[in-house]
Amino acid sequence: MSVSNHKIQPEVIRQTKKVAVITICGLFFMWAVFWILSAVGLNVSFDKSVVLGGIGGSAVAILSFFMIGMTVQSAVAEENEDNARMRMKAGYSKRMMLRMFWGIAALIFPCFNFVAAILPLLFPNTGIKLFYKWMSSDK
């Protein structure tokens, strides 16, 4: 069975929305830091390349997380354990290729600030860890 034959599970959508919110919050924070560093006169510019790099990196980060969800959904539906394992490995490879191509594009094309394009790839993981750390400290 291919992923295209599966209906997207509500949990995949729900978790992807959470990651999108985390990533967008991180994006605005990153833009604020770039703007502040630019405003105080450091050798950092806040221009359209920062905005475009951030938007592209955030889109790749969110898409990558959605791909994780779809890969796991597909692997869980697989009856054969070896096939499920192969699906997980293939999904990982596809996500890494997506991130690699994005990194290369951000490096090659001057319309993207490389740092602003790559940092959003870290936002989902960092945001999730901070969220759960914050949630566990409430106890």
Side-chain angles (χ1 to χ4, degrees), residues 88-108:
M88 292 298 290
K89 287 180 181 180
Y92 176 80
S93 296
K94 289 176 186 176
R95 290 191 312 277
M96 290 305 109
M97 292 289 284
L98 171 68
R99 289 170 172 241
M100 182 186 71
F101 286 137
W102 170 244
I104 291 169
L107 192 60
I108 291 174

Side-chain angles (χ1 to χ4, degrees), residues 29-51 113:
F29 179 77
M30 180 189 75
W31 283 342
V33 169
F34 267 87
W35 182 80
I36 290 168
L37 293 175
S38 175
V40 297
L42 294 176
N43 193 17
V44 175
S45 63
F46 181 75
D47 56 11
K48 69 179 181 178
S49 70
V50 172
V51 174
N113 177 299

Side-chain angles (χ1 to χ4, degrees), residues 3 41 107 119:
V3 173
L107 192 60
L119 278 177

